[in-house]
Amino acid sequence: MTQLSVNINKIALIRNSRGNNYPDLIQVAKDCERFGAQGITVHPRPDERHVKFSDCYKLKEIVTTEFNIEGYPSEQFLKLIQDVRPHQVTLVPDLPNALTSDNGWDTITHASFLKEVIEELKKSGARVSLFIDPIEQYIEGAAHAGSDRIEYYTGPYAAIFTGDPNHAISKYKATENFAHSIGLGINAGHDLNLYNLKYFKEQLPHLAEVSIGHALICDSLYFGLENTIQMYRRCLE
Ligand code: PXP
């Protein structure tokens, strides 16, 4: 069973564009859960252009499924995690002004930094996941650093899926068993959508969770949020 965590950053982006509280992020999170989301994901970035750090405190009070906070482990982020204590923290190697996450951790170069940060984060009780490209040595590095899970960066998969699904999935398929065998749980995210999700899930039997934002929110403009969440859930059955 693969869980669907809905990333609500884009809802916050729309809200912020007018400077008021519409749409209401908290209500949308509650509705996502009511419509079938099995988790809520947010990614507060340093410029707070979508989800703000203060939103995370309010979300923690109402999220009844899994609350996943993604981000670069800056001091501000580590303090947030200590305060909010989400169920899962997903660490990404984003630069402060990144448009979106576009690569996984080099867990060899940053081994001691990650080990230290993960040790600290675990004190909050959160499960820790590292955003990773499907490269065996980086996956091994994630386990050595003490991570509980990896989140495969699926941007490159999505980019070539339409032309060559077999090739697109090959590196994920080749490394999945290894990740599982060394005790890592497996998440995935980025650019997953209604066309490429089902195949990804079918090819990776150990996939525990996907977090999806951009495409899901875009699809909900046409299908409505409830239908859309159900459509994504069906891709994961
Ligand atoms: N995982 C991580 C680490 C991300 O940064 C993002 C985007 O915020 C996602 C998953 C979701 O990607 P998308 O919005 O393309 O579904």
Side-chain angles (χ1 to χ4, degrees):
M1 174 82 174
T2 305
Q3 309 272 324
L4 172 66
S5 186
V6 174
N7 179 319
I8 56 172
N9 263 30
K10 284 281 140 63
I11 303 295
L13 186 73
I14 298 172
R15 176 200 62 187
N16 296 352
S17 70
R18 282 294 171 98
N20 55 26
N21 193 34
Y22 187 64
D24 178 345
L25 190 72
I26 301 301
Q27 188 57 48
V28 173
K30 287 182 185 169
D31 289 336
C32 285
E33 291 186 325
R34 193 160 56 86
F35 298 153
Q38 295 150 311
I40 299 293
T41 292
V42 292
H43 190 148
R45 292 182 187 274
D47 62 6
E48 299 197 307
R49 65 182 184 274
H50 6 71
V51 162
K52 300 180 183 202
F53 282 72
S54 58
D55 290 323
C56 300
Y57 292 81
K58 295 179 196 145
L59 284 164
K60 177 60 199 287
E61 284 172 27
I62 59 96
V63 171
T64 59
T65 56
E66 182 196 84
F67 189 28
N68 176 40
I69 304 185
E70 304 170 346
Y72 181 83
S74 61
E75 268 183 37
Q76 187 188 20
F77 183 84
L78 296 177
K79 161 97 171 64
L80 175 78
I81 301 303
Q82 263 173 14
D83 290 349
V84 173
R85 297 177 176 261
H87 302 104
Q88 180 171 268
V89 183
T90 302
L91 300 180
V92 294
D94 285 358
L95 293 171
N97 57 351
L99 186 61
T100 184
S101 313
D102 57 5
N103 61 279
W105 285 99
D106 172 346
T107 57
I108 310 295
T109 305
H110 302 289
S112 55
F113 171 68
L114 288 170
K115 196 163 192 284
E116 215 172 283
V117 162
I118 291 173
E119 232 172 71
E120 196 52 40
L121 285 170
K122 287 212 171 152
K123 291 183 191 156
S124 76
R127 180 202 297 142
V128 179
S129 180
L130 288 184
F131 198 50
I132 288 278
D133 294 301
I135 297 170
E136 201 166 294
Q137 59 174 341
Y138 291 163
I139 294 172
E140 192 171 28
H144 283 153
S147 195
D148 302 297
R149 290 194 185 184
I150 52 166
E151 178 182 322
Y152 276 133
Y153 168 44
T154 48
Y157 163 75
I160 59 167
F161 171 79
T162 311
D164 192 350
N166 227 347
H167 178 49
I169 199 72
S170 58
K171 288 184 182 156
Y172 302 88
K173 241 177 123 167
T175 51
E176 192 212 17
N177 266 336
F178 173 69
H180 181 67
S181 73
I182 59 172
L184 290 166
I186 298 167
N187 297 345
H190 222 281
D191 296 323
L192 293 173
N193 60 36
L194 285 173
Y195 300 103
N196 61 31
L197 179 60
K198 190 169 165 33
Y199 184 73
F200 193 83
K201 152 75 186 164
E202 281 168 0
Q203 298 295 313
L204 299 192
H206 301 299
L207 187 63
E209 180 184 304
V210 290
S211 66
I212 306 182
H214 186 79
L216 189 150
I217 301 303
C218 293
D219 289 333
S220 72
L221 294 174
Y222 286 89
F223 305 124
L225 190 55
E226 182 167 11
N227 284 332
T228 303
I229 289 175
Q230 287 300 316
M231 289 159 85
Y232 276 83
R233 283 283 304 268
R234 282 199 288 279
C235 293
L236 297 169
E237 274 166 11

